[in-house]
């Protein structure tokens, strides 16, 4: 949030903090540490006016973390609700749940942004190991869905080529929901039983 920073009495570089420990208040709202660790740096002076989503302190986590490269085009999904992540370590443990920490600042590149995923403190890993991470940004059951290659658009609204009973094709605007990378949810514009071309309008 934006406002004036007011640090707590325990907040100073080198201080230990627990998860959900209030480091400061900004505009009267608490700013808490997402995980246990040590305050490594204070980025803003006490009583400083700050804008929204600017880091005011750096906390060094007590365990290991994984940096996940998320395409900028998908980054908004990290702020739309609960996000869970599962990590498989190459040559090591798999199916590890980790705590995702969304980036506080806009990415420096136009391609991807590094998002930190904190592993449980007792995870048997070492620095530098390769991992694969699955991010679950939402779940839907019993929904209409189409293969991604049949839809023009990936978020909010898209277009498809509906094939009518006489064989003619019609461009239809559809509302889009979640995607798993293979299929995408259709929230409006089509009904169960409609036939859609395998490629979107202007492609096939």
């Amino acid at each position: 949030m934006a406002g004036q920073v007011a640090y707590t009495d325990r907040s100073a570089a080198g201080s230990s903090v627990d998860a959900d420990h209030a480091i400061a208040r900004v505009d009267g709202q608490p700013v808490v540490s997402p995980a246990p660790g040590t305050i490594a740096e204070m980025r803003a002076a006490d009583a400083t006016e700050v804008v929204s989503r600017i880091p005011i302190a750096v906390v060094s986590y007590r365990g290991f973390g994984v940096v996940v490269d998320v395409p900028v085009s998908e980054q908004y999904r990290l702020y739309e609700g609960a996000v869970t992540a599962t990590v498989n370590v190459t040559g090591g443990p798999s199916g590890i749940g980790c705590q995702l920490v969304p980036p506080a600042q806009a990415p420096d590149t136009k391609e991807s942004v590094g998002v930190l995923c904190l592993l449980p403190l007792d995870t048997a890993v070492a620095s530098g190991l390769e991992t694969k991470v699955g991010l679950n940004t939402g779940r839907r059951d019993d929904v209409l869905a189409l293969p991604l290659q049949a839809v023009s658009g990936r978020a909010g609204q898209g277009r498809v080529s509906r094939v009518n009973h006489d064989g003619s094709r019609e461009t239809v605007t559809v509302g889009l929901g979640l995607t798993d990378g293979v299929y995408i949810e259709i929230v409006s514009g089509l009904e169960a039983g409609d036939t859609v071309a395998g490629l979107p309008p202007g492609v096939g």
Side-chain angles (χ1 to χ4, degrees), residues 123-190:
T123 305
V125 294
S127 181
L129 292 175
E130 292 186 359
T131 63
K132 289 187 177 181
V133 182
L135 303 180
N136 180 9
T137 61
R139 180 183 178 87
R140 300 282 193 275
D141 295 312
D142 299 324
V143 298
L144 290 178
L146 285 173
L148 283 174
Q149 65 266 23
V151 182
S152 173
R154 292 293 178 267
Q157 184 173 291
R159 298 189 307 160
V160 300
S161 289
R162 182 169 59 193
V163 181
N164 298 318
H165 295 296
D166 60 3
S168 62
R169 295 190 180 188
E170 176 185 4
T171 297
V172 176
T173 299
V174 293
L176 303 176
L178 296 180
T179 176
D180 61 2
V182 179
Y183 289 88
I184 190 165
E185 178 188 7
I186 306 299
V187 298
S188 64
L190 294 175

Side-chain angles (χ1 to χ4, degrees), residues 43 51-56 75 79 102-108 113-115:
R43 290 267 180 104
V51 299
S52 163
R53 295 182 62 197
I54 290 296
I56 63 171
Q75 186 185 350
Y79 301 99
Q105 292 176 300
D108 295 328
V113 58
V115 179

